[in-house]
Amino acid sequence: MTETLPGRAVAAEHFRRALAVHASGVVVITAQTGGVPVGLTATSFSSVSLEPPLVSFYVDRSSTTWPLLGAADHFAVNILASDQAEVATRFARKGADRFAPPTRWRPGPLGAPLLRDVFAHLVCLPYERAEVGDHLLVVGLVAEVETHSTGRPLLYHQGRFGRFLPHPED
């Protein structure tokens, strides 16, 4: 673990403003524990390794969803399309019944809920977890992949969901 030099860390608000200019993709992590589907929105999703195939995301340690999601024997990463901002918002909202209509989903090959109309599903087995600051780093081994379509991804930028617009080709 790295120690921070006294007086060297920036204030949280300055850090938050700086990170807001970084656009990130949006996923919904889903699982099923004791027959109950659970899920949360993540903007910290990343590929980690090709050999073995690993992905990661971070979750706030104070998350009320994480205890159920973390107890599951596998989870799914649902990569959202640009028209799914409402899905991302629903899965980020506290106290919402995230799997009630209008959410459209089906059980995956191992039982984790797979959201409909997403770009891809990655079904993952827990690989590693580590406490990092006020978050938990979750690494998953990708066991199954389903890709459905191509198009524009849903992005998170400056506290809002948006769409990617590519530069015109030269």
Side-chain angles (χ1 to χ4, degrees):
M1 173 146 78
T2 304
E3 289 186 13
T4 304
L5 297 175
R8 298 294 292 202
V10 298
E13 186 54 36
H14 293 299
F15 185 50
R16 188 176 292 115
R17 277 197 306 258
L19 292 179
V21 300
H22 172 71
S24 59
V26 183
V27 301
V28 170
I29 310 296
T30 55
Q32 187 164 247
T33 303
V36 176
V38 294
L40 54 80
T41 299
T43 58
S44 58
F45 174 73
S46 180
S47 62
V48 174
S49 169
L50 289 175
E51 291 295 330
L54 300 175
V55 295
S56 71
F57 65 95
Y58 287 88
V59 62
D60 191 315
R61 290 189 347 204
S62 67
S63 166
T64 56
T65 303
W66 173 249
L68 288 172
L69 200 148
D73 61 359
H74 70 287
F75 60 89
V77 177
N78 300 268
I79 301 175
L80 301 186
S82 65
D83 62 351
Q84 294 183 302
E86 177 51 40
V87 173
T89 300
R90 187 173 315 115
F91 278 83
R93 194 174 295 134
K94 292 182 191 282
D97 184 352
R98 297 169 178 165
F99 290 91
T103 301
R104 295 171 14 116
W105 63 281
R106 64 179 171 82
L110 300 176
L114 302 181
L115 301 181
R116 301 266 187 194
D117 306 318
V118 300
F119 280 154
H121 299 112
L122 290 78
V123 177
C124 303
L125 304 173
Y127 188 80
E128 194 164 332
R129 295 178 187 166
E131 292 184 6
V132 182
D134 58 3
H135 279 65
L136 182 67
L137 169 64
V138 180
V139 179
L141 175 69
V142 180
E144 303 257 346
V145 172
E146 292 180 13
T147 55
H148 304 288
S149 63
T150 59
R152 294 186 176 150
L154 182 62
L155 298 177
Y156 187 73
H157 181 250
Q158 295 187 336
R160 298 174 58 194
F161 295 114
R163 297 180 173 136
F164 171 73
L165 296 175
H167 287 280
E169 292 187 30
D170 294 331

